[in-house]
Amino acid sequence: MTTDRLRDAGLRVEEALDRIAELDPSLCAFIEVWPEAAQTGPPDRELPLAGLPFAVKGPVGIHSYAARRLIAAGAVPVGATSVPGPGTYWQTWGLGTHGRTLNPWRADRTPGGSSAGSAVAVATGMVPLATGSDGAGSVRIPAAWCGVFGLKTTNGLLPSPDRTRLASAGVLTPSAADARPYLGCVLDGYAPVRVEYPVRARWSPDLGFARTDPEVESVAQAAAERLVSAGVVRLDGRPLALLDPAEAWQSVRRGNPSAGAAVRAENDRRLDALFADVELLLTPSTPNRPHGHDGPGKLYSTALTWAFNLSGHPAASIPAGFTSDGCPVGLQLVTPRGSDVSLLEMAVAAEPHAVIVRP
């Protein structure tokens, strides 16, 4: 969606607040709602996002670099979305004002985390855009499980308060095209790029180590094959095998990065070799479907995402279809470091062919 379409066809602030009031008591996507946003007066129509309502992730999201840039472009923050509550695993839940955050497709399942409320707010049309942050998959996982678009930017491209440098800014929108104005506002020197199709791509169901749910793999692979048929990608049939980054990621988070340095360096070498041959890597966004609110057990929903927080590559999740029990599946797209605009354009081209009619 272009900036003009976002401004002219998107929800007005009053409409967004009304929809939040209607839906949030049951979905619990927000921890704070700011009705005073409706009293900001008529928007400055000269600004690119004049009057566009958006949500921020968590109680401190309003202070993020991305939120400040969106506000400067004329967008209006209407509330802060749910993140995990005290004593819960950040990977799993959101806790809103009215209770635990529900997956809009399956109320008995989690929407993913930690940008849980942001994904639900976008998926249900409460807002057309919500900020997120992604330190291990916290934008891509809820995007996949809520059936929306989610982008993690190249690590270090935008300012982040995360001292480990694992987390980077991200955004959730109904579709990939809807994220163009976000990048246009937050990136200095943003300029559109032309991508030549078909893009040289590699498919990996497991990155060489993950135990991917067979049905999730099947749905994501079918989406990748539709991209081939549509002329969006040309698949390189060679496999990709990375080392399992779990211990390396956890070592960095614990403040002991040297413990996982060898694994991290080897995966960087393998990814550098991959992107010397292809422009795009495709994987399922998660190895598993959304789990129940009692937690993931021993599953690592981050298994296919956190390698790219360690390596710094930009990555996105686009809707790919549904499992037989009605759970959304995401297709992850990864491109070379710094190629965020190209990644977004590839996602825009891919999304209409990857997604299938929703049940």
Side-chain angles (χ1 to χ4, degrees):
M1 186 178 287
T2 66
T3 301
D4 286 342
R5 284 182 61 200
L6 265 177
R7 182 172 62 192
D8 296 337
L11 287 172
R12 298 296 182 263
V13 171
E14 295 85 352
E15 294 171 323
L17 290 168
D18 287 346
R19 192 159 177 82
I20 293 169
E22 175 190 358
L23 298 179
D24 198 53
S26 59
L27 291 168
C28 308
F30 283 84
I31 55 173
E32 296 179 12
V33 179
W34 303 319
E36 63 274 15
Q39 310 303 318
T40 56
D44 181 349
R45 302 294 291 182
E46 297 301 315
L47 295 174
L49 296 184
L52 177 77
F54 75 100
V56 299
K57 176 184 175 179
V60 300
I62 192 64
H63 304 297
S64 69
Y65 175 82
R68 296 197 304 271
R69 294 297 291 261
L70 292 169
I71 293 168
V76 180
V78 296
T81 58
S82 64
V83 291
T88 61
Y89 292 108
W90 61 266
Q91 300 101 320
T92 307
W93 289 278
L95 184 63
T97 297
H98 306 285
R100 66 189 182 189
T101 310
L102 304 184
N103 187 304
W105 293 97
R106 287 281 305 261
D108 62 329
R109 305 292 176 92
T110 176
S114 60
S115 304
S118 287
V120 174
V122 167
T124 55
M126 287 190 262
V127 291
L129 184 151
T131 65
S133 59
D134 190 314
S138 291
V139 165
R140 290 161 287 163
I141 293 169
W145 287 354
C146 292
V148 298
F149 175 74
L151 170 68
K152 178 197 88 71
T153 55
T154 297
N155 290 56
L157 182 68
L158 300 174
S160 170
D162 182 13
R163 294 181 180 178
T164 68
R165 300 182 180 180
L166 290 171
S168 59
V171 67
L172 297 106
T173 52
S175 73
D178 296 331
R180 281 173 171 153
Y182 169 87
L183 277 189
C185 288
V186 301
L187 292 184
D188 290 328
Y190 170 86
V193 298
R194 178 182 175 87
V195 178
E196 297 292 333
Y197 299 100
V199 172
R200 293 171 296 135
R202 186 89 55 92
W203 158 256
S204 177
D206 55 14
L207 295 178
F209 60 83
R211 290 184 289 181
T212 304
D213 178 319
E215 192 173 2
V216 169
E217 176 181 337
S218 177
V219 171
Q221 184 167 5
E225 290 169 353
R226 288 192 290 274
L227 300 188
V228 175
S229 298
V232 177
V233 304
R234 182 176 70 251
L235 286 181
D236 172 340
R238 290 174 292 173
L240 171 67
L242 299 181
L243 302 178
D244 188 342
E247 287 298 323
W249 188 96
Q250 292 166 359
S251 295
V252 173
R253 180 57 76 185
R254 289 192 296 261
N256 184 25
S258 61
V263 168
R264 191 175 190 178
E266 178 59 22
N267 279 349
D268 281 350
R269 186 190 68 78
R270 297 184 189 189
L271 288 168
D272 288 345
L274 169 77
F275 287 118
D277 288 337
V278 302
E279 302 163 85
L280 177 66
L281 171 63
L282 299 172
T283 79
S285 298
T286 66
N288 54 304
R289 64 193 78 194
H291 51 74
H293 292 281
D294 55 347
K298 295 182 179 180
L299 294 172
Y300 276 95
S301 303
T302 55
L304 297 174
T305 52
W306 54 4
F308 308 112
N309 296 90
L310 281 168
S311 69
H313 291 80
S317 179
I318 62 175
F322 291 79
T323 55
S324 57
D325 57 351
C327 293
V329 173
L331 180 68
Q332 180 174 224
L333 289 70
V334 186
T335 58
R337 299 177 190 90
S339 62
D340 301 63
V341 180
S342 295
L343 169 60
L344 181 56
E345 292 309 309
M346 292 177 196
V348 170
E351 195 174 59
H353 307 288
V355 71
I356 60 172
V357 176
R358 297 172 178 179

